[in-house]
Short mmCIF file of all heavy atoms in Angstrom, two decimals:
data_model
loop_
_atom_site.label_atom_id
_atom_site.label_comp_id
_atom_site.label_asym_id
_atom_site.label_seq_id
_atom_site.Cartn_x
_atom_site.Cartn_y
_atom_site.Cartn_z
N GLN H 3 -5.20 11.65 25.70
CA GLN H 3 -4.73 12.34 24.50
C GLN H 3 -4.75 11.38 23.32
O GLN H 3 -4.51 10.19 23.46
CB GLN H 3 -3.33 12.92 24.69
CG GLN H 3 -2.23 11.90 24.90
CD GLN H 3 -0.86 12.55 24.95
OE1 GLN H 3 -0.71 13.76 24.89
NE2 GLN H 3 0.18 11.73 25.06
N LEU H 4 -5.07 11.92 22.15
CA LEU H 4 -5.08 11.16 20.92
C LEU H 4 -3.85 11.51 20.10
O LEU H 4 -3.54 12.69 19.92
CB LEU H 4 -6.33 11.45 20.09
CG LEU H 4 -7.68 11.26 20.79
CD1 LEU H 4 -8.82 11.46 19.79
CD2 LEU H 4 -7.78 9.89 21.43
N VAL H 5 -3.16 10.50 19.62
CA VAL H 5 -1.95 10.69 18.85
C VAL H 5 -2.13 10.10 17.46
O VAL H 5 -2.32 8.89 17.31
CB VAL H 5 -0.73 10.05 19.54
CG1 VAL H 5 0.52 10.27 18.70
CG2 VAL H 5 -0.55 10.63 20.93
N GLU H 6 -2.09 10.97 16.44
CA GLU H 6 -2.21 10.53 15.05
C GLU H 6 -0.83 10.33 14.45
O GLU H 6 0.12 11.02 14.81
CB GLU H 6 -2.98 11.56 14.21
CG GLU H 6 -4.40 11.81 14.66
CD GLU H 6 -4.56 13.17 15.31
OE1 GLU H 6 -3.56 13.68 15.87
OE2 GLU H 6 -5.67 13.73 15.25
N SER H 7 -0.76 9.40 13.51
CA SER H 7 0.48 9.15 12.80
C SER H 7 0.17 8.65 11.40
O SER H 7 -0.94 8.23 11.11
CB SER H 7 1.36 8.14 13.54
OG SER H 7 0.72 6.88 13.63
N GLY H 8 1.16 8.70 10.52
CA GLY H 8 1.02 8.16 9.18
C GLY H 8 0.87 9.19 8.08
O GLY H 8 0.86 8.83 6.90
N GLY H 9 0.74 10.45 8.44
CA GLY H 9 0.60 11.48 7.43
C GLY H 9 1.90 11.72 6.69
O GLY H 9 2.96 11.25 7.08
N GLY H 10 1.80 12.47 5.60
CA GLY H 10 2.97 12.78 4.81
C GLY H 10 2.62 13.13 3.39
O GLY H 10 1.47 13.42 3.07
N LEU H 11 3.62 13.08 2.53
CA LEU H 11 3.46 13.39 1.12
C LEU H 11 3.25 12.11 0.32
O LEU H 11 3.99 11.15 0.49
CB LEU H 11 4.70 14.13 0.60
CG LEU H 11 4.74 14.48 -0.88
CD1 LEU H 11 3.63 15.48 -1.22
CD2 LEU H 11 6.10 15.04 -1.25
N VAL H 12 2.25 12.12 -0.55
CA VAL H 12 1.95 10.96 -1.37
C VAL H 12 1.53 11.42 -2.76
O VAL H 12 0.91 12.48 -2.91
CB VAL H 12 0.86 10.08 -0.72
CG1 VAL H 12 -0.44 10.86 -0.56
CG2 VAL H 12 0.63 8.80 -1.50
N GLN H 13 1.87 10.64 -3.77
CA GLN H 13 1.51 10.98 -5.14
C GLN H 13 0.05 10.65 -5.43
O GLN H 13 -0.52 9.74 -4.82
CB GLN H 13 2.41 10.24 -6.13
CG GLN H 13 3.86 10.65 -6.08
CD GLN H 13 4.70 9.95 -7.14
OE1 GLN H 13 4.23 9.03 -7.80
NE2 GLN H 13 5.93 10.40 -7.31
N PRO H 14 -0.57 11.38 -6.35
CA PRO H 14 -1.94 11.03 -6.75
C PRO H 14 -2.02 9.56 -7.18
O PRO H 14 -1.15 9.06 -7.89
CB PRO H 14 -2.22 11.97 -7.92
CG PRO H 14 -1.34 13.14 -7.66
CD PRO H 14 -0.09 12.57 -7.05
N GLY H 15 -3.08 8.90 -6.75
CA GLY H 15 -3.26 7.48 -7.04
C GLY H 15 -2.60 6.56 -6.04
O GLY H 15 -2.84 5.34 -6.08
N GLY H 16 -1.81 7.11 -5.15
CA GLY H 16 -1.12 6.31 -4.16
C GLY H 16 -1.98 6.00 -2.94
O GLY H 16 -3.17 6.30 -2.90
N SER H 17 -1.34 5.41 -1.94
CA SER H 17 -2.03 4.99 -0.73
C SER H 17 -1.31 5.49 0.51
O SER H 17 -0.10 5.70 0.50
CB SER H 17 -2.15 3.47 -0.67
OG SER H 17 -2.92 2.96 -1.73
N LEU H 18 -2.07 5.63 1.57
CA LEU H 18 -1.55 6.10 2.84
C LEU H 18 -2.44 5.57 3.95
O LEU H 18 -3.65 5.48 3.78
CB LEU H 18 -1.54 7.64 2.87
CG LEU H 18 -0.61 8.35 3.84
CD1 LEU H 18 0.85 8.07 3.49
CD2 LEU H 18 -0.88 9.85 3.79
#
Side-chain angles (χ1 to χ4, degrees):
Q3 65 175 3
L4 305 185
V5 180
E6 299 108 332
S7 63
L11 177 65
V12 61
Q13 294 184 350
S17 297
L18 202 64

